[in-house]
Amino acid sequence: MKLVSFFAALIGLGAFSLALPTTENLEARQACNSSVALDAKKNVWLNYTLHPQSVYRKQFVTATEAISDRELKDKALKLVNVGTFVWIETPEEIGKLIEAVKDVPCKNILGVVLAGLPYNDCLSSRAPPITTLWDYQSQFIDPIVKIIKTHPNTAFALIIEPSVIANYLLNPDDEVCQRVKPIWYNNIPLALKSLNLPNVIQYLDAGHGGIFGHQDGPNYNDLKKVSKELIDTWEAASRPEQFRGVAVNFRGYNSWDLSPGEIFPDEYPCLWTKNKARNEKTYLYLLESSIRKDYNSTMPFHNIMDTTRSGVQGVRDSWDDSCNVNGMAWGIKPTSNTLDERLDAFVWATEGGVSDGGSEVGATGYRSVCANRVAFKPMPERGMFSQAYFESLFKCSNPSL
């Protein structure tokens, strides 16, 4: 049975023209004529709208034009101007940021996912990080800093290195993943310092409740583990002023407030009660409690949640189902109306239709979870676009878009 959270009902879209707006329409909007100064002590999403960045928007428009089903096309047309984050995963992809920053209006904020730490996806790459593929600071962060400084009149929201902490924290016996931890601490604090710019707001990735919600006991407490890593990273970066908090559910499928939350077939009552973070609202509550009470830390804790693919619940078999899940749908549209002081905004940080990993053995980023029972198949290699998966996000949307 598919379950829909209360907040998913807030996905109302309003009225849109059936004509596809052009990029020129966006470029015509007035840009800021003075430098942007974001106050990280305040919720910037109350004053800024997530920008429909041009790189993915072009893909969205092309995919929408290719939809033959009129009902699905009408749904897609209503989402053309919804804001999304632009992904930068390698030095070669920095050009996407140069393109995306060209047309940001004054009241919009450009969301950017920085995922360029070498070997960050240690579970699928299996490449032992003995030497780095590229110098993270000089070849990745420094050029991005230069672009941001060149556009002082544009506001930026950054999600820093999603999934990396989860990979090395939860795989203590994996030699490849454990070599990632020193790479993290040699680079990310420096990155946070370099990106501590007045027109930037920073969020560190904190996984989601299904990853870090377990609290089995004093010797096995994933919640305390991730709390400590987040605090240590923030401290190692000398507590940057533009650090705002964490991002949760990145590329994920979890509900914000479904109560009591998803309980999976392989979880017996004695097991699922050890993870009380059955939705992201509860996860943030537990995470803040750990940060404040377990470590007495003052780390800022105002956060964002990726809701791109969380519109439907009850279609997974396990928390581990994390690759191109079939039957999912667009979730809560980007908004600062969260009704929770811990959550700044719901955002679309995932590019709908882009593959998490290929479903065929040998594909780039292949993991068995990408070919399991609940995964959408066939899917191209990681990072490639699937027209069929894109359309499926509209087919399963509930309520109807």
Side-chain angles (χ1 to χ4, degrees):
M1 176 180 179
K2 295 180 180 179
L3 305 174
V4 181
S5 72
F6 167 75
F7 268 89
L10 296 182
I11 197 172
L13 298 170
F16 288 80
S17 169
L18 292 184
L20 288 175
T22 64
T23 304
E24 287 72 21
N25 295 146
L26 293 174
E27 293 174 338
R29 298 177 186 175
Q30 184 177 5
C32 289
N33 55 16
S34 60
S35 298
V36 170
L38 300 179
D39 185 351
K41 295 181 175 62
K42 298 179 180 179
N43 184 1
V44 302
W45 303 95
L46 296 174
N47 298 312
Y48 287 90
T49 299
L50 181 61
H51 185 59
Q53 51 96 358
S54 59
V55 178
Y56 175 64
R57 188 176 181 278
K58 290 176 182 177
Q59 177 69 73
F60 195 108
V61 170
T62 299
T64 297
E65 291 174 337
I67 297 175
S68 58
D69 185 293
R70 186 64 202 181
E71 182 181 356
L72 294 185
K73 179 172 284 191
D74 287 347
K75 290 180 179 181
L77 287 167
K78 295 176 182 179
L79 299 182
V80 168
N81 285 325
V82 176
T84 55
F85 277 59
V86 59
W87 284 31
I88 313 295
E89 296 192 273
T90 65
E92 291 74 24
E93 291 186 351
I94 293 174
K96 294 198 296 185
L97 180 58
I98 296 173
E99 176 67 24
V101 77
K102 289 180 179 179
D103 66 349
V104 184
C106 190
K107 298 302 292 182
N108 283 14
I109 188 167
L110 182 61
V112 185
V113 176
L114 300 184
L117 192 69
Y119 306 104
N120 55 16
D121 193 11
C122 58
L123 293 177
S124 60
S125 66
R126 309 314 305 159
I130 299 172
T131 58
T132 58
L133 295 173
W134 53 80
D135 185 88
Y136 183 74
Q137 183 68 30
S138 66
Q139 294 179 258
F140 189 74
I141 294 299
D142 288 349
I144 290 171
V145 168
K146 183 177 180 180
I147 294 169
I148 293 175
K149 286 184 175 180
T150 305
H151 294 84
N153 297 4
T154 300
F156 294 84
L158 308 182
I159 297 176
I160 310 295
E161 296 300 334
S163 302
V164 182
I165 288 180
N167 279 339
Y168 73 70
L169 267 189
L170 300 186
N171 296 281
D173 299 324
D174 187 288
E175 181 183 3
V176 175
C177 287
Q178 284 312 297
R179 292 185 186 181
V180 173
K181 184 170 183 176
I183 293 177
W184 173 274
Y185 277 103
N186 287 338
N187 288 285
I188 302 307
L190 290 175
L192 290 172
K193 289 180 182 179
S194 301
L195 293 162
N196 191 37
L197 303 170
N199 56 331
V200 166
I201 201 83
Q202 303 174 349
Y203 298 92
L204 265 180
D205 178 68
H208 58 72
I211 297 175
F212 288 122
H214 295 88
Q215 306 168 74
D216 286 16
N219 297 321
Y220 182 76
N221 191 315
D222 292 339
L223 195 69
K224 291 180 68 174
K225 289 180 183 178
V226 72
S227 298
K228 187 176 187 305
E229 291 299 305
L230 293 168
I231 294 167
D232 287 351
T233 304
W234 173 68
E235 293 279 7
S238 302
R239 303 183 177 191
E241 291 182 1
Q242 298 307 104
F243 183 89
R244 178 70 180 167
V246 304
V248 296
N249 201 47
F250 180 79
R251 300 187 82 169
Y253 305 92
N254 295 349
S255 165
W256 165 243
D257 66 343
L258 184 69
S259 182
E262 287 190 271
I263 299 173
F264 298 106
D266 62 349
E267 291 184 300
Y268 297 99
C270 62
L271 293 178
W272 72 258
T273 54
K274 293 178 181 179
N275 183 347
K276 297 180 181 179
R278 314 306 294 191
N279 58 52
E280 296 305 280
K281 184 175 184 178
T282 302
Y283 175 51
L284 286 180
Y285 170 82
L286 294 172
L287 185 58
E288 182 182 36
S289 179
S290 178
I291 289 170
R292 301 287 182 247
K293 296 179 181 179
D294 293 332
Y295 299 103
N296 195 31
S297 174
T298 59
M299 187 190 86
F301 198 75
H302 301 281
N303 317 296
I304 55 176
M305 175 183 172
D306 181 9
T307 54
T308 314
R309 302 183 296 191
S310 62
V312 172
Q313 304 297 309
V315 298
R316 292 177 292 172
D317 292 337
S318 167
W319 288 121
D320 293 334
D321 291 329
S322 58
C323 186
N324 306 322
V325 174
N326 194 10
M328 299 309 294
W330 302 97
I332 305 167
K333 280 176 51 182
T335 178
S336 60
N337 184 24
T338 69
L339 305 182
D340 190 284
E341 62 182 8
R342 296 175 189 84
L343 193 70
D344 284 347
F346 297 111
V347 300
W348 281 7
T350 304
E351 298 171 323
V354 174
S355 176
D356 297 325
S359 57
E360 302 300 318
V361 176
T364 300
Y366 170 80
R367 291 172 292 151
S368 59
V369 69
C370 299
N372 71 7
R373 189 191 71 84
V374 303
F376 189 95
K377 297 179 287 292
M379 283 294 283
E381 295 189 345
R382 184 177 181 274
M384 296 183 65
F385 188 83
S386 166
Q387 179 73 24
Y389 193 45
F390 174 78
E391 294 186 19
S392 78
L393 296 174
F394 298 100
K395 293 177 181 178
C396 303
S397 294
N398 192 350
S400 173
L401 298 183

